């Protein structure tokens, strides 16, 4: 392009072709060191080094500037740096904690409490969103027109409304409209739903139940071992151990049952009882958790449904036809041919949705569910003023989760790529 | 002689159940037992839910009024929305200056129409204006502090205006950073590559809410004390930092889709890296990533509602604040439905637009 236009300009007489002597004379007039620099700059193996060096230099200078500013500002405001504050007494209460916590515990403990609450709501959200998302995604492809329409209305509605709005809606409009504890909705006199939350029975683990718990773990381990053995045998001989699934059920249920019978432990339940203005005892699911969980589940399910639909649609029609012509029943076609191939497409974006859900759970702070951001980056930050440390720790938690999952994802993708042709 | 007349027997009508409305109904609603059960259940559910909903939202609703007492308790109280509509759109922007946000909205409408209609001329100039000048023009228009334009402090901004402004500025400003980061992540220089990768993964790994907290709490610590950042500007910086990482990943997707031959071709023509990128690679890549960019814009548009937690009054936050007004207690459902409706219109419209673009892109290949 350039050469052509230059040639054209020369032809038009705009440029005069100078004789070589003149050119060399001009080049000699530039100082020697500048010429050397220019030569280095044009050296393909040297230029990247110069550029990278410059970038590193700029970043280091920027970092020094920022750090010195921060130090100066912190000193000026009388805020000490460092992580000593973590061992100080927190002095504030948290409405939901999975570990023992009260006002006398340290700020470090609030970090743990918040993190566990984040993990709790993320785990529950992922569980429910997966179920709902798969159901809606499959319904979206249903041959029933009405069902497919309904699923697509669900997806398009909840995908296009901000999650925060949905959380606020469930919390302030729906759950706040529930009756007071005295007029609770009750199911079989054991599950109560009211303004203060959902109250369930809580099984109490006594001393005698310990061997039972251990035996459950042992049973699971033995079942997995049996399954592996069965698989090996099937791969070797083409035939599984007869009655394998029966054996596995027997192992899984029989061992704990026998141990329970021998240990003679009894299971007691802690029932929620109305005392004064609220229920006491049992498991209480606070409305903050309920609203957050509802919103996260529905919002993420709408996205997962699209992922599932795309995955199932990505399996070629010929695959289904081939499987059917081999004589597989429709159920087997789905479970042996379509789903395994669809999963390869589904799993990477599905993991992304899980990560999004975990990150979105931080919106808890808007309704006061005590998650990591709300408790630690909220109350603790305000009380201590240690902005840099607190925000850094909070970000580190989310970053660790994200990076771990994407690392696992990359290995998974690599494995999948190897299986492909 | 016999005259054999050869005549076609008229074709028989297809069975009633094989074509037409009846067949459609049978195939799509009553194909199997399960399908019949599903259809009946859904119809019953709709029958139970739709009429009361219409009754509540339209028939029994009160549309205008001065406070909650003017509302019919049986129906929706849309008076809450109509009475405060000005605030929902302009925030606390002074009434005598509201022509300025109006001009801003009009400008957006014209630009969007211009760019999405097929027959309008000079699209590249309009696009250039939207990406380079529009944010600054809008800022000066709304902020003022110019001869002839009075200054309106940013804490008076709010409502839909703020939502649109945050989303647009965040998006447009993150575009160049995103392109640079994407190029950096695919660079041959290890230091630059790892720095860009680290930046992208860092911001993509944390929730926006922590980024906003960081921008509002930590940013003032990072700069000399004399420099004072506006709250809005801090939020915007946080959004741009965050958004450019997502943008980078979208652009990288486009860059990866460009065949290797294109890179080799511009190298063999003697073009430098930047010449090749700007003239050959990016024009092709950017065309590919438009749907992805629109999708990230939708995500950002929804995410701007998070500025509520750092005390800015975007559309959602101003409605949330209005709900606590003693004169309008108990109207949360109406408020949230209105907010949801506005967000939904924007997001659904954009997602349909991006789907259309995607189809157009696939047609050519």
């Amino acid at each position: 392009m350039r050469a052509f236009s230059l040639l054209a300009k020369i032809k038009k007489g705009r440029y005069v072709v100078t004789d070589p002597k003149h050119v060399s004379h001009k080049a000699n007039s530039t100082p020697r060191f500048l010429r050397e620099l220019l030569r280095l700059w044009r050296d393909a193996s040297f230029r990247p080094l110069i550029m990278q060096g410059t970038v590193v230099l700029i970043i280091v200078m920027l970092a020094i500037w920022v750090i010195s500013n921060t130090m100066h500002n912190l000193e000026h405001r009388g805020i000490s740096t460092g992580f000593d504050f973590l061992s100080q007494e927190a002095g504030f209460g948290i409405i939901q904690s999975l570990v023992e916590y009260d006002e006398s515990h340290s700020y470090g403990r609030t970090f743990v409490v918040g993190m566990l609450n984040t993990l709790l709501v993320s785990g529950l959200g992922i569980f429910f969103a997966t179920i709902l998302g798969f159901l809606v995604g499959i319904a979206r492809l249903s041959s029933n027109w009405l069902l497919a329409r309904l699923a697509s209305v669900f997806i398009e509605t909840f995908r296009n409304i901000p999650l925060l709005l949905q959380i606020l809606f469930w919390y302030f409009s729906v759950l706040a409209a529930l009756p007071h504890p005295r007029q609770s909705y009750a199911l079989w006199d054991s599950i109560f739903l009211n303004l203060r939350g959902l109250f369930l029975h809580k099984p109490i683990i006594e001393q005698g139940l310990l061997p039972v718990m251990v035996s459950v773990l042992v049973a699971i381990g033995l079942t997995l071992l049996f399954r592996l053995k069965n698989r090996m045998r099937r791969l070797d001989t083409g035939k599984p151990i007869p009655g394998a699934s029966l054996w596995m059920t027997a192992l899984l249920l029989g061992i704990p049952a026998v141990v329970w019978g021998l240990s003679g432990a009894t299971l007691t339940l802690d029932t929620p009882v109305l005392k004064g203005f609220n229920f006491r005892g049992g498991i209480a699911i606070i409305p903050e958790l309920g609203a957050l969980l509802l919103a996260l589940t529905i919002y993420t399910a709408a996205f997962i449904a699209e992922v599932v639909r795309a995955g199932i649609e990505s399996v070629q029609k010929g695959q289904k036809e081939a499987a059917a012509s081999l004589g597989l029943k429709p159920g087997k076609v789905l479970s042996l041919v379509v789903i395994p191939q669809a999963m390869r497409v589904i799993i990477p974006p599905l993991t992304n949705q899980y990560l999004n859900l975990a990150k979105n759970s931080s919106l808890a702070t808007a309704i006061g569910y005590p998650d990591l951001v709300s408790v630690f980056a909220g109350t603790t930050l305000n009380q201590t003023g240690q902005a840099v440390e607190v925000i850094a720790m909070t970000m580190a938690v989310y970053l660790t989760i994200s990076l771990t999952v994407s690392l696992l994802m990359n290995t998974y993708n690599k494995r999948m790529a190897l299986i492909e042709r | 002689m016999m005259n054999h007349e050869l005549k076609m027997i008229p074709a028989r009508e297809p069975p009633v159940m094989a074509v037409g409305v009846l067949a459609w109904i049978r195939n799509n609603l009553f194909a199997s037992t399960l399908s019949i059960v599903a259809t009946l259940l859904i119809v019953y559910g709709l029958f139970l839910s739709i009429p009361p909903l219409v009754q509540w939202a339209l028939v029994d609703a009160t549309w205008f009024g001065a406070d909650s007492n003017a509302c019919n308790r049986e129906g929706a109280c849309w008076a809450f929305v109509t009475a405060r509509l000005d605030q929902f759109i302009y925030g606390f922007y002074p009434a005598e200056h509201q022509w300025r946000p109006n001009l801003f909205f009009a400008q957006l409408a014209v630009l969007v129409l211009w760019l999405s209609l097929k027959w309008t001329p000079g699209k590249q100039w309009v696009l250039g204006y939207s990406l380079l000048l529009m944010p600054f023009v809008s800022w000066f228009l709304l902020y003022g502090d110019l001869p002839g334009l009075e200054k309106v402090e940013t804490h008076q901004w709010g409502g839909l205006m703020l939502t649109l402004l945050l989303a647009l500025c965040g998006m447009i400003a993150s575009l160049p950073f995103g392109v640079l980061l994407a190029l950096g992540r695919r660079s041959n220089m290890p230091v630059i590559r790892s720095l860009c990768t680290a930046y992208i993964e860092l911001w993509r790994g944390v929730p926006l809410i922590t980024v906003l907290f960081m921008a509002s709490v930590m940013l003032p610590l990072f700069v000399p004390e004399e420099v004072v950042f506006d709250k809005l500007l801090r939020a915007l910086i946080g959004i741009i930092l965050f958004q450019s990482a997502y943008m980078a990943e979208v652009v990288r997707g486009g860059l990866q889709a460009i065949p290797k031959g294109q890179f080799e071709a511009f190298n063999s023509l003697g073009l430098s890296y930047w010449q090749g990128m700007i003239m050959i690679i990016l024009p092709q890549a950017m065309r590919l990533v438009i749907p992805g960019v629109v999708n990230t814009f939708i995500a950002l548009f929804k995410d701007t509602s998070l500025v509520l937690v750092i005390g800015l009054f975007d559309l959602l936050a101003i409605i949330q604040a209005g709900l606590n007004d003693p004169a309008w207690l108990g109207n949360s459902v109406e408020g949230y439905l209105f907010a949801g409706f506005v967000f939904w219109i924007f997001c659904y419209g954009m997602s349909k637009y991006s789907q259309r673009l995607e189809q157009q892109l696939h047609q050519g290949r």
Side-chain angles (χ1 to χ4, degrees), chain A residues 52 73 144-145 159 359, chain B residues 28 39 191 204 221 302 332:
Chain A
Q52 296 181 65
N73 285 335
N144 184 315
W145 181 83
R159 223 165 46 135
K359 283 186 278 173
Chain B
N28 291 297
T39 306
V191 172
R204 271 163 43 94
L221 293 176
K302 286 185 289 177
S332 62

Side-chain angles (χ1 to χ4, degrees), chain A residues 162 261 320:
Chain A
K320 282 178 223 165

Side-chain angles (χ1 to χ4, degrees), chain A residues 21-81:
Chain A
K21 269 183 198 166
H22 186 68
V23 172
S24 65
H25 165 73
K26 248 198 148 176
N28 274 337
S29 70
T30 51
R32 198 184 151 74
F33 80 96
L34 257 180
R35 257 191 304 146
E36 275 303 300
L37 259 181
L38 217 60
R39 198 180 60 77
L40 278 181
W41 178 246
R42 285 179 183 148
D43 188 340
S45 62
F46 210 78
R47 179 150 63 165
L49 286 182
I50 302 178
M51 284 171 74
Q52 296 181 65
T54 322
V55 168
V56 170
L57 200 70
I58 290 173
I59 286 178
V60 167
M61 277 161 66
L62 200 69
I64 290 173
W65 184 71
V66 164
I67 290 171
S68 74
N69 277 335
T70 311
M71 288 318 222
H72 176 255
N73 285 335
L74 286 177
E75 204 175 316
H76 207 91
R77 295 180 195 187
I79 301 170
S80 59
T81 50

